[in-house]
């Protein structure tokens, strides 16, 4: 009889031997080394190699997870910022989401692969002969990384298995779920312990390792998820008061765009990053994200609903600004829009130029990047995080940002506004949301707004500042706005009824459908209350009958 194994059992067998991949400066050592636990843990050098192995984030074609650029982009698209042309992201957050969804299944699987590596490290380092203070610090690093995955699992799946040590096959195939609140409580306790041990920074040789700031930021996310705003404000303020981080202004008004390109990983704004090495440790995200006009797959379409959220250059919304022209919608806009999304030629806007090509979705049917070339194309394409210097689109070495200081500033002012709105003074606004806006040349907010007015301003700022960084679905779920945000027709670029216009939509039965403002209607999404949590993957349910499925999934 063929042995059936779920992810826990598979990892239990793999962890019977210690698999470690290590690189010089956390990325460059070669080759991969593999050794059994019984013979490996003999020295501090062995422990260091094992530590490095725990920092092996997603690479190659491994995309559906909580630590890859594509996995984080998927989360934002699931939350209403865009879609994927094979319908992956919509099917992760809709009434059509099922327990057999392979993308969701990979988030689950990849997270537990990391957790099993963390558990193996934490079990064996205890008896490794080495400096005890260093051992305590290394343990805190891996406990924090483990918390990153447990927090995400609990937030998106609710009640999840929480193994804290390597397991046998029988244990893996019978483990029960831990209630979400118990997972949250464990994560909180672990992070508090780690914060007391971890350093605020490392030398250049150890750059990229878990710091106190990452543990604090992760604790802040946990508190936001739980609605514990006063606690969140306290922990976020401690990061600000450390003066370790600052918004990157290295390149003036181009700083925002360049932050997410090669070299940006070393910015003082970054708190935690996944790093890559040219020709050695790469990923395929760039081929997916790049438009067809430069040889990419244009796998993703950004919704016009996100495009509309970007401010005008006077800092006002498109609904409020006198600068906004409905017939020239890309003129006088927030520079983050130009840095984040490929825009077509329309009105006075000449179209985004990239690698010597002008992005143009209006060149005609079946041309590169044409707005209706595929069912889930809409004329827009994500740009943030692309770098023109990357020549091999299948082997990108652009880093992935897992946490940065702009998030801390916006989370702090949100938490303070929710817990103690009278404490949000002009000084607080200037320290937080206005610092973020000033970096991109926008005027700041003025004190005196109502709590609700400031709440909406913060939410809008988070959506555009943190676009494609994996926090938007997190936000709409914890705010309780997903049902409102994800139940309507989504739109793309603006079309025209005039046959002489390049963006002519056609006529009669073949005309592209548009909304009342002339924007291409192309995807109708539906989201129900049960979609608050993802389903437990069916393949694991089939093996481990102690797992209980979330309501609404059969």
């Amino acid at each position: 009889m063929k042995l059936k194994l779920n992810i826990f059992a598979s990892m239990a067998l793999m962890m019977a031997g210690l698999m470690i991949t290590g690189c010089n400066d956390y990325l460059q050592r070669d080759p991969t080394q593999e050794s059994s636990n019984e013979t490996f843990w003999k020295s501090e050098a062995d422990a260091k190699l094992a530590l490095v192995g725990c920092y092996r984030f997603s690479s190659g074609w491994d995309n559906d997870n909580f630590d890859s650029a594509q996995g984080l982009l998927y989360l934002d698209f699931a939350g209403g910022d865009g879609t994927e042309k094979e319908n992956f992201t919509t099917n992760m957050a809709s009434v059509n989401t099922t327990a057999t969804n392979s993308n969701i299944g990979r988030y689950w699987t990849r997270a537990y692969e990391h957790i099993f590596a963390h558990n193996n490290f934490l079990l064996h380092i205890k008896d490794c002969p080495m400096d005890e203070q260093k051992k305590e610090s290394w343990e805190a690093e891996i406990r924090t990384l483990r918390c990153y995955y447990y927090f995400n699992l609990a937030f998106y799946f609710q009640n999840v298995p929480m193994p804290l040590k390597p397991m046998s096959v029988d244990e893996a195939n019978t483990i029960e779920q831990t209630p979400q609140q118990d997972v949250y409580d464990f994560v909180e306790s672990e992070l508090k312990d780690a914060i007391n041990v971890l350093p605020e920074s490392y030398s250049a040789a150890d750059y990229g390792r878990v710091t106190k700031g990452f543990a604090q930021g992760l604790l802040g996310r946990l508190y936001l998820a739980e609605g514990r705003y006063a606690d969140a404000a306290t922990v976020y303020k401690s990061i600000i008061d450390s003066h370790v981080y600052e918004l990157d202004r290295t390149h003036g008004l181009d700083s925002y765009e360049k932050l997410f390109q090669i070299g940006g990983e070393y910015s003082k704004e970054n708190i935690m990053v996944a790093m890559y090495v040219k020709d050695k440790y790469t990923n395929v995200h760039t081929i997916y994200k790049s438009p067809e006009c430069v040889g990419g797959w244009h796998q993703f379409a950004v919704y016009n609903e996100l495009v509309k959220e970007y401010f005008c250059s006077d800092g006002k919304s498109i609904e409020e600004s006198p600068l906004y022209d409905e017939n020239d919608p890309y003129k006088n806009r927030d520079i983050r829009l130009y840095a984040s999304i490929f825009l077509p030629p329309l009105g006075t806007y000449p179209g985004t130029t990239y690698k010597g090509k002008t992005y143009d979705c209006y060149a005609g049917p079946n041309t590169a990047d044409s707005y209706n070339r595929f069912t889930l194309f809409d004329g827009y394409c994500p740009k943030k995080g692309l770098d023109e210097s990357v020549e091999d689109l299948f082997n990108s070495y652009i880093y992935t940002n897992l946490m940065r200081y702009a998030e801390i500033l916006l989370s702090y002012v949100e938490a303070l506004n929710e817990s103690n709105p009278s404490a949000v003074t002009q000084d607080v606004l200037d320290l937080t949301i206005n610092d973020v806006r000033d970096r991109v040349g926008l005027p700041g907010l003025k004190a005196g707004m109502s709590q609700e007015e400031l709440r909406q301003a913060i939410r809008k700022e988070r959506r555009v500042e943190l676009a494609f960084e994996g926090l938007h679905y997190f936000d709409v779920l914890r705010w309780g706005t997903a049902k409102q945000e994800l139940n309507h027709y989504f739109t793309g670029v603006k079309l025209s009824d005039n046959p002489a216009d390049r963006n002519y939509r056609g006529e009669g039965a073949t005309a592209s459908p548009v909304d009342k403002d002339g924007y291409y209607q192309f995807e109708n999404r539906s989201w129900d209350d049960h979609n608050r949590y993802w389903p437990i993957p069916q393949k694991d349910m089939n093996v481990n009958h102690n797992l209980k499925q979330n309501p609404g999934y059969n």
Side-chain angles (χ1 to χ4, degrees):
M1 183 179 76
K2 186 176 180 180
L3 180 64
K4 293 175 68 178
L5 301 175
N6 68 353
I7 176 58
F8 299 102
S10 299
M11 291 308 299
L13 287 177
M14 189 186 87
M15 286 303 164
L18 173 65
M19 180 174 289
I20 305 164
T21 300
C23 313
N24 190 27
D25 293 333
Y26 288 84
L27 288 170
Q28 298 174 353
R29 185 175 299 153
D30 197 45
T32 297
Q33 298 187 26
E34 189 169 324
S35 176
S36 70
N37 287 311
E38 289 73 18
T39 62
F40 181 78
W41 297 86
K42 302 300 184 183
S43 68
E44 184 175 300
D46 292 340
K48 180 68 173 289
L49 188 58
L51 177 75
V52 172
C54 290
Y55 279 89
R56 186 175 178 85
F57 295 114
S58 304
S59 62
W61 294 88
D62 187 10
N63 294 315
D64 307 325
N65 43 58
F66 296 113
D67 59 60
S68 73
Q70 195 144 312
L72 298 177
L73 181 72
Y74 277 9
L75 293 177
D76 273 16
F77 281 7
D81 280 351
T83 192
E84 191 270 351
K85 70 181 180 185
E86 295 181 52
N87 214 27
F88 289 165
T89 54
T90 295
N91 283 338
M92 289 168 57
S94 80
V95 294
N96 296 319
T97 302
T98 67
T100 56
N101 184 288
S102 59
N103 300 96
I104 290 174
R106 283 189 286 271
Y107 279 88
W108 170 280
T109 298
R110 300 295 183 259
Y112 279 111
E113 287 174 351
H114 285 289
I115 288 167
F116 272 85
H118 302 155
N119 285 343
N120 192 71
F121 176 90
L122 293 170
L123 174 68
H124 291 95
I125 195 175
K126 293 183 183 300
D127 298 323
C128 185
M130 60 177 292
D131 178 83
E132 290 300 316
Q133 185 175 357
K134 192 175 292 187
K135 179 187 294 186
E136 183 183 28
S137 181
W138 291 5
E139 287 176 333
E141 290 179 57
I142 303 310
R143 289 165 68 187
T144 300
L145 284 176
R146 184 173 64 176
C147 284
Y148 177 79
Y149 295 100
Y150 269 138
F151 168 66
N152 280 298
L153 284 168
F155 182 81
Y156 289 104
F157 290 97
Q158 193 177 24
N159 307 323
V160 297
M162 192 173 70
L164 299 179
K165 61 180 180 61
M167 296 185 295
S168 68
V169 172
D170 287 342
E171 289 172 328
N173 281 337
T174 56
I175 189 172
E176 297 181 353
Q177 288 146 291
T178 299
Q180 181 190 62
Q181 190 58 56
D182 290 349
V183 178
Y184 282 173
D185 291 346
F186 172 77
V187 168
E188 179 182 12
S189 176
E190 289 283 281
L191 291 175
K192 284 181 173 179
D193 286 347
I195 287 167
N196 291 327
V197 176
L198 289 169
E200 290 186 332
S201 62
Y202 294 92
S203 65
D206 285 329
Y207 183 81
R209 289 169 62 176
V210 168
T211 61
K212 178 179 180 178
F214 181 58
Q216 289 172 310
L218 190 54
L219 183 60
R221 287 186 189 177
L222 172 66
Y223 287 151
L224 290 181
E226 293 184 294
R228 295 168 58 181
Y229 292 109
D231 290 331
T234 298
V235 72
Y236 283 127
K237 187 59 162 59
S238 67
I239 300 174
I240 295 171
D241 289 343
S242 73
H243 302 292
V244 173
Y245 308 102
E246 62 185 44
L247 295 186
D248 194 317
R249 288 177 165 84
T250 306
H251 301 281
L253 290 178
D254 292 330
S255 297
Y256 181 82
E257 181 169 17
K258 291 186 178 298
L259 174 64
F260 306 100
Q261 297 176 350
I262 294 167
E265 58 266 42
Y266 297 105
S267 169
K268 287 196 70 174
E269 182 168 345
N270 288 329
I271 297 175
M272 188 66 194
V273 298
M275 299 170 67
Y276 299 89
V277 178
K278 185 178 182 180
D279 300 327
K280 294 183 179 180
Y281 187 57
T282 61
N283 62 73
V284 296
H285 183 56
T286 295
I287 188 67
Y288 280 95
K289 185 186 283 186
S290 297
E292 293 178 325
C293 63
V294 296
W297 291 350
H298 192 150
Q299 197 75 14
F300 311 116
V302 180
Y303 291 146
N304 193 54
E305 284 68 21
L306 174 60
V307 174
K308 287 182 175 181
E309 284 292 282
Y310 287 88
F311 302 94
C312 288
S313 56
D314 60 2
K316 297 179 180 180
S317 69
I318 64 171
E319 293 81 12
E320 298 172 324
S321 175
L323 299 178
Y324 184 69
D325 183 346
E326 186 62 55
N327 294 313
D328 203 355
Y330 311 134
K331 179 183 178 182
N332 297 322
R333 297 296 295 276
D334 183 340
I335 60 175
R336 290 174 295 190
L337 172 60
Y338 307 131
S340 301
I341 300 169
F342 283 96
L343 305 171
L346 185 63
T348 62
Y349 185 74
T352 302
T353 300
Y354 184 75
K355 286 181 176 281
K357 303 283 188 179
T358 297
Y359 176 81
D360 187 0
C361 68
Y362 297 133
N366 294 317
T367 57
D369 305 302
S370 175
Y371 75 89
N372 59 355
R373 179 170 164 83
F374 295 97
T375 302
L376 292 181
F377 263 28
D378 73 345
Y380 294 121
C381 182
K383 178 174 182 280
K384 180 177 173 180
L386 291 180
D387 190 316
E388 293 193 33
S389 69
V390 175
E391 297 177 354
D392 183 353
L393 303 187
F394 286 92
N395 287 285
S396 172
Y397 50 103
I398 303 170
Y399 80 102
T400 299
N401 196 303
L402 301 179
M403 184 180 291
R404 63 186 177 95
Y405 190 52
E407 176 196 341
I408 304 305
L409 296 178
L410 295 176
S411 296
Y412 172 60
V413 70
E414 176 189 347
L416 195 62
N417 185 54
E418 297 296 337
S419 62
N420 186 12
S422 63
V424 184
T425 63
Q426 188 64 52
D427 286 344
V428 170
L429 292 175
D430 292 344
L431 177 69
T432 57
I433 190 170
N434 287 349
D435 194 21
V436 171
R437 291 167 65 86
D438 177 75
R439 192 248 297 269
V440 292
L442 299 182
L445 306 181
K446 299 297 183 183
M449 303 170 71
S450 70
Q451 183 186 36
E452 179 60 25
E453 288 172 334
L454 184 55
R455 176 183 294 130
Q456 295 307 319
I458 293 167
R459 291 181 178 185
K460 188 180 185 76
E461 198 72 43
R462 283 182 69 92
R463 188 173 186 185
V464 299
E465 172 68 23
L466 304 174
F468 313 150
E469 296 178 46
L471 290 173
H472 188 55
Y473 198 34
F474 169 73
D475 282 346
V476 298
L477 289 177
R478 67 184 179 86
W479 291 334
T481 60
K483 198 167 187 178
Q484 171 188 337
E485 298 289 337
L486 300 176
N487 275 297
H488 60 83
Y489 256 106
F490 284 87
T491 58
V493 293
K494 193 174 184 66
L495 302 178
S496 171
D497 289 320
N498 185 348
D501 291 338
R502 295 185 74 252
N503 60 337
Y504 177 54
R505 70 187 186 99
E507 61 181 352
T510 61
S512 298
V514 294
D515 67 7
K516 63 181 180 59
D517 296 318
Y519 289 96
Y520 177 43
Q521 283 188 319
F522 77 107
E523 184 182 22
N524 189 20
R525 290 181 60 170
S526 298
W527 190 96
D528 205 358
D529 290 333
H530 78 274
N531 294 127
R532 166 58 188 90
Y533 295 108
W534 282 340
I536 306 301
Q538 189 62 48
K539 62 184 177 59
D540 280 70
M541 297 281 296
N542 291 342
V543 174
N544 183 354
H545 299 296
N546 287 330
L547 296 178
K548 305 258 187 316
Q549 186 57 272
N550 285 325
Y553 301 103
N554 296 321

